[in-house]
Amino acid sequence: MKDSNINPIGVFDSGLGGLSVWLELVRLMPNEDIIYFADSGNCPYGNRSKEEIIDLSIRNTEFLLRKGAKIIVVACNTATAAAIKILRKKFDVPFIGMEPAVKPAAKQTKTQHIGVLATKGTLESERFQETKNEYAKGVTVHMQIGEGLVEIVENQQINERSTLILLQQYLQPMLAHHVDKIVLGCTHYPFLRPVFDKLLPQNVDLVNPAPAVARQTLRQLERFELQTKNIIEPKYEFYTSGNEEILESFLKYIQAK
Ligand code: DGL
């Protein structure tokens, strides 16, 4: 067994959204230690330049590597789109990225119309265009920038009436085109599920890539023989560049669910 097997999985996001991926990692690999870094002090990433997102992603990765991460999960669609190629070149650890789950949505749609809700950075990235061109042939993709939604999750205003109204504005044009799949192209958005549930008709499904990202992380750990043999309680550590109390209260909120 390699010494590094006992090291943690490192996860970062622009903020708290990547915790939707953390939840799936914990569910699938309950023995692995995980270190999570929320860059809430610099959140949101969505309207930043590609260069800025690359610099921040490098900083986040360096932080996790200093803490001994054996693999890095970029639990942020925006950072993946802007920076994953560079991260893979620069650092000698496996990286798992995330991107909007256009492929399964395009495969499963019956109406041939799917919606993608994501940040400006993700929707305008080359990577997203490539994914769309490759996997959504013959399907109409209705894209919507979720302006303000990341901040709503960061500020824990999920259940406020203004959130319902804003999300309704974003969903209405997609629903008017009879989408039956809506891809959650930002890791913050799964935390808005209770609000989506109030607004979506029953025949419309949300597509969250987080479980697939957790499975991909497991496959990579197996491939590089990096799985832990740990049978004692795993250790979870959380760091933020923002407000620690907000992180703690968010962790309590998601763990109580
Ligand atoms: N969770 C990030 C994502 O998946 C949010 C990006 C942002 O901070 O705007 O894209």
Side-chain angles (χ1 to χ4, degrees):
M1 182 170 144
K2 290 187 213 162
D3 291 346
S4 50
N5 289 38
I6 54 164
N7 288 21
I9 296 173
V11 183
F12 79 81
D13 177 39
S14 63
L16 306 174
L19 289 167
S20 62
V21 178
W22 177 84
L23 284 169
E24 298 299 333
L25 292 167
V26 169
R27 198 166 291 155
L28 189 66
M29 293 172 272
N31 295 334
E32 294 286 349
D33 292 348
I34 309 180
I35 296 192
Y36 184 93
F37 179 70
D39 197 11
S40 294
N42 295 301
C43 189
Y45 281 11
N47 293 330
R48 288 180 184 275
S49 70
K50 186 169 172 178
E51 289 66 35
E52 274 181 303
I53 300 171
I54 292 171
D55 284 348
L56 293 167
S57 300
I58 290 174
R59 266 186 14 211
N60 300 342
T61 301
E62 283 170 345
F63 174 82
L64 291 170
L65 292 178
R66 278 200 301 278
K67 296 277 176 198
K70 60 185 172 185
I71 190 168
I72 307 274
V73 180
V74 182
C76 177
N77 293 263
T78 313
T80 301
I84 194 131
K85 280 192 191 150
I86 289 168
L87 296 176
R88 285 193 171 123
K89 266 198 211 135
K90 192 170 166 64
F91 299 101
D92 192 22
V93 282
F95 281 88
I96 314 297
M98 37 202 315
E99 63 186 4
V102 169
K103 190 179 171 182
K107 251 194 192 158
Q108 292 159 12
T109 176
K110 294 195 177 70
T111 60
Q112 307 308 311
H113 286 268
I114 66 170
V116 180
L117 192 60
T119 67
K120 183 168 181 280
T122 298
L123 291 178
E124 291 178 0
S125 69
E126 236 171 81
R127 195 182 163 96
F128 180 71
Q129 287 306 319
E130 285 165 12
T131 305
K132 196 159 72 80
N133 294 342
E134 190 170 346
Y135 298 114
K137 291 198 183 84
V139 169
T140 310
V141 181
H142 302 273
M143 292 170 287
Q144 173 67 53
I145 296 173
E147 192 68 56
L149 297 179
V150 165
E151 292 89 331
I152 285 172
V153 174
E154 290 288 314
N155 299 326
Q156 294 174 54
Q157 294 162 333
I158 294 165
N159 296 315
E160 290 183 13
R161 182 151 175 79
S162 51
T163 303
L164 186 88
I165 293 167
L166 184 65
L167 196 57
Q168 187 170 32
Q169 279 169 19
Y170 293 157
L171 296 178
Q172 229 155 26
M174 296 183 187
L175 295 175
H177 284 103
H178 304 291
V179 302
D180 61 351
K181 307 282 166 205
I182 295 179
V183 176
L184 300 179
C186 168
T187 52
H188 282 73
Y189 301 167
F191 293 117
L192 295 167
R193 190 176 270 277
V195 195
F196 280 103
D197 286 348
K198 285 188 191 145
L199 294 168
L200 291 179
Q202 274 199 337
N203 67 322
V204 180
D205 302 317
L206 292 176
V207 187
N208 173 14
V213 169
R215 290 194 297 275
Q216 176 64 2
T217 307
L218 175 58
R219 279 195 292 272
Q220 292 300 312
L221 288 180
E222 284 167 353
R223 176 170 164 219
F224 292 101
E225 296 180 11
L226 283 170
Q227 275 177 290
T228 185
K229 305 279 185 296
N230 208 353
I231 46 164
I232 53 169
E233 281 273 292
K235 235 174 45 209
Y236 300 131
E237 288 177 31
F238 301 93
Y239 298 90
T240 178
S241 58
N243 183 316
E244 280 176 22
E245 278 167 30
I246 290 183
L247 171 66
E248 275 164 30
S249 100
F250 196 76
L251 284 169
K252 277 198 196 119
Y253 168 75
I254 63 170
Q255 283 165 337
K257 296 212 136 218

